[in-house]
Amino acid sequence: MRRIETNGYSLEVGSIIESSFSNLLKQKYADSKKVILVDENTHANCLSYIITNFSELSEAEVIMLPAGEDSKQMELTYSVWEALTEYGITRFDLIINLGGGVITDMGGFIASCYKRGCDFINIPTSLLAMVDASIGGKTGINLGHFKNQLGVFSNPVALYIDPVFLSTLPGKEVLSGFGEMIKHGLIADAELYNAVRDEMLHGETLEEDILVRCIEVKNEVVKQDPKESGLRKILNFGHTVGHVIEGHFLPTLKLSHGHSIAIGMVMEAYISMKRVGLSVSDYEELATFILGQYQLPEFSDEDIKSMLSMLQNDKKNRADKILCCLIPALGECVYDQEVDEQMFLETFMHFKNLQVNLN
Ligand SMILES: NC(=O)c1ccc[n+]([C@@H]2O[C@H](COP(=O)([O-])OP(=O)(O)OC[C@H]3O[C@@H](n4cnc5c(N)ncnc54)[C@H](O)[C@@H]3O)[C@@H](O)[C@H]2O)c1
């Protein structure tokens, strides 16, 4: 069991059976009602593991949501608040979020607003939620097509990361989680980047040391800058272009978050080479590796026009300037870099031509 120091809550990585979870339930929450929030997949694949191993949860209420990003919206949030009221849940009770990033983001938001704040515990079950979404206190839901538009910063009482849940995670979702792991290496630790790359190319089961190191990178950054006034912005590397790719191709390709971010990282690495001195050899190595794992979508001039206009609406922009994170070298990241529309146009054209040559 690895215990990682955080901003005041328990973060444990390893078998949840050996963690402090049982004692916490027996002691602090002995007299509290417990609610477990799941989606349909974690209901089918993860819930029984928790219920059978923790008798303290035998009476817990279970609230199940449909799986996927479409659930992260106000109507369903409202229906969960109504269910909590119906079950007579008070501010002294406990909500347990058992799921991927949708459940941890949404459940954290639901708990933090309910009766002015109810305790919650995160038990992430997807790789992406383990290395990213469940850590750092960002909770929220989408507003129409605008991602994470409603939310609060709020930390769980405890976060238990147990790789046991990865055994049922579909391959596409594993690849999505690896996208954020590559990012953690690229922005903060070149050795970690090499380890994640080797794991993806040659590994059979995910090494726990690599998982832990990715968790540490995210945790260290958010500990230093919990509300994203500076350093935390480096976690957005790949996301300026990645969110545009994700949104633009959502109706047709349904790319996962991590896949979109991986493509975003290659494009922002290309801009890094042009603007902040990332070496040509490092750029070429990472582009070959990432595009070998994550298929580059095909796009037309019309797609480029639409993606450029989406870039103007990015929530990270300030005073009409498109701001981006760039990497001057592997394992280093600078934030708030102004990149003009011409540079994005050149980047999209470069990858459009690359796609043509790949075919
Ligand atoms: N709060 C943050 O800092 C932060 C950071 C990154 C991403 N996010 C958010 O996280 C979300 C994406 O997270 P995600 O990729 O985990 O999405 P997700 O929660 O939709 O999970 C992906 C899919 O995997 C399934 N699943 C999860 N665990 C499973 C398991 N053990 N076995 C079988 N199926 C399983 C889910 O049901 C879903 O179908 C997005 O909404 C994104 O905005 C938040």
Side-chain angles (χ1 to χ4, degrees):
M1 181 62 52
R2 314 268 191 112
R3 292 188 171 80
I4 297 175
E5 201 192 312
T6 67
N7 286 345
Y9 62 93
S10 318
L11 195 179
E12 296 176 27
V13 188
S15 167
I16 191 166
I17 297 172
E18 289 159 28
S19 74
S20 61
F21 185 44
S22 176
N23 277 343
L24 192 63
L25 294 175
K26 282 195 187 96
Q27 291 164 7
K28 189 168 179 191
Y29 299 104
D31 299 324
S32 305
K33 289 187 185 161
K34 286 110 186 157
V35 175
I36 307 177
L37 187 67
V38 287
D39 72 17
E40 52 203 331
N41 294 325
T42 61
H43 183 270
N45 295 296
C46 312
L47 184 64
S48 68
Y49 188 81
I50 290 293
I51 304 273
T52 38
N53 283 298
F54 298 95
S55 56
E56 304 83 1
L57 295 175
S58 58
E59 311 259 290
E61 304 285 358
V62 175
I63 300 179
M64 184 176 81
L65 299 175
E69 187 71 22
D70 290 349
S71 289
K72 216 174 143 183
Q73 34 104 336
M74 186 45 99
E75 286 74 8
L76 279 174
T77 302
Y78 190 88
S79 70
V80 176
W81 281 323
E82 284 188 318
L84 295 177
T85 309
E86 202 176 295
Y87 296 142
I89 302 303
T90 71
R91 198 154 58 82
F92 307 102
D93 293 328
L94 177 68
I95 296 179
I96 298 167
N97 300 319
L98 179 67
V102 167
I103 290 293
T104 57
D105 270 20
M106 203 172 161
F109 178 65
I110 288 169
S112 306
C113 299
Y114 184 73
K115 305 219 175 192
R116 299 200 178 87
C118 173
D119 284 357
F120 67 98
I121 287 177
N122 281 342
I123 307 178
T125 60
S126 70
L127 185 55
L128 190 136
M130 290 182 190
V131 296
D132 198 352
S134 68
I135 311 164
K138 278 190 182 178
T139 71
I141 57 171
N142 302 332
L143 183 65
H145 293 302
F146 296 101
K147 269 189 67 102
N148 305 323
Q149 201 76 358
L150 303 173
V152 291
F153 283 99
S154 177
N155 278 316
V157 171
L159 166 54
Y160 298 106
I161 301 178
D162 186 344
V164 73
F165 295 113
L166 296 176
S167 64
T168 55
L169 192 67
K172 179 183 174 192
E173 301 303 338
V174 173
L175 200 59
S176 177
F178 267 116
E180 296 287 3
M181 292 170 73
I182 295 172
K183 181 195 77 184
H184 289 163
L186 286 178
I187 61 173
D189 181 343
E191 238 175 74
L192 176 64
Y193 164 70
N194 289 332
V196 172
R197 185 198 53 210
D198 292 348
E199 182 79 21
M200 288 184 78
L201 292 173
H202 313 295
E204 287 188 355
T205 51
L206 177 59
E207 290 281 335
E208 199 166 299
D209 282 349
I210 298 178
L211 183 73
V212 169
R213 183 67 196 118
C214 286
I215 294 164
E216 283 172 344
V217 166
K218 168 101 193 225
N219 181 54
E220 278 309 316
V221 171
V222 300
K223 247 169 59 182
Q224 290 178 55
D225 178 20
K227 297 241 169 122
E228 199 168 306
S229 42
L231 180 72
R232 187 172 178 158
K233 295 179 186 175
I234 65 172
L235 296 168
N236 292 324
F237 175 61
H239 285 60
T240 300
V241 175
H243 274 156
V244 164
I245 302 260
E246 190 174 11
H248 181 75
F249 290 104
L250 192 68
T252 48
L253 300 181
K254 294 203 183 302
L255 297 179
S256 67
H257 178 72
H259 188 140
S260 313
I261 295 319
I263 301 297
M265 284 192 288
V266 179
M267 295 197 187
E268 291 177 21
Y270 176 85
I271 300 174
S272 301
M273 176 179 68
K274 297 280 174 182
R275 289 288 156 86
V276 293
L278 177 66
S279 75
V280 175
S281 59
D282 281 345
Y283 165 71
E284 284 177 348
E285 186 282 324
L286 78 82
T288 307
F289 160 60
I290 295 177
L291 295 178
Q293 302 290 320
Y294 300 89
Q295 197 180 356
L296 181 64
E298 272 179 51
F299 39 82
S300 64
D301 290 341
E302 271 310 299
D303 291 322
I304 293 180
K305 219 164 125 193
S306 151
M307 290 194 289
L308 285 174
S309 107
M310 286 171 82
L311 274 173
Q312 301 290 351
N313 293 321
D314 191 277
K315 42 177 196 309
K316 296 181 285 300
N317 295 347
R318 289 283 175 277
D320 293 335
K321 296 194 166 107
I322 304 175
L323 298 179
C324 203
C325 297
L326 299 175
I327 49 168
L330 300 184
E332 286 174 31
C333 186
V334 285
Y335 57 86
D336 281 351
Q337 301 295 302
E338 198 180 325
V339 178
D340 55 43
E341 196 177 290
Q342 189 53 37
M343 185 72 242
F344 283 108
L345 175 63
E346 180 192 322
T347 306
F348 285 136
M349 290 307 292
H350 172 81
F351 284 91
K352 177 180 175 243
N353 294 334
L354 190 68
Q355 175 59 260
V356 170
N357 293 335
L358 284 175
N359 280 335

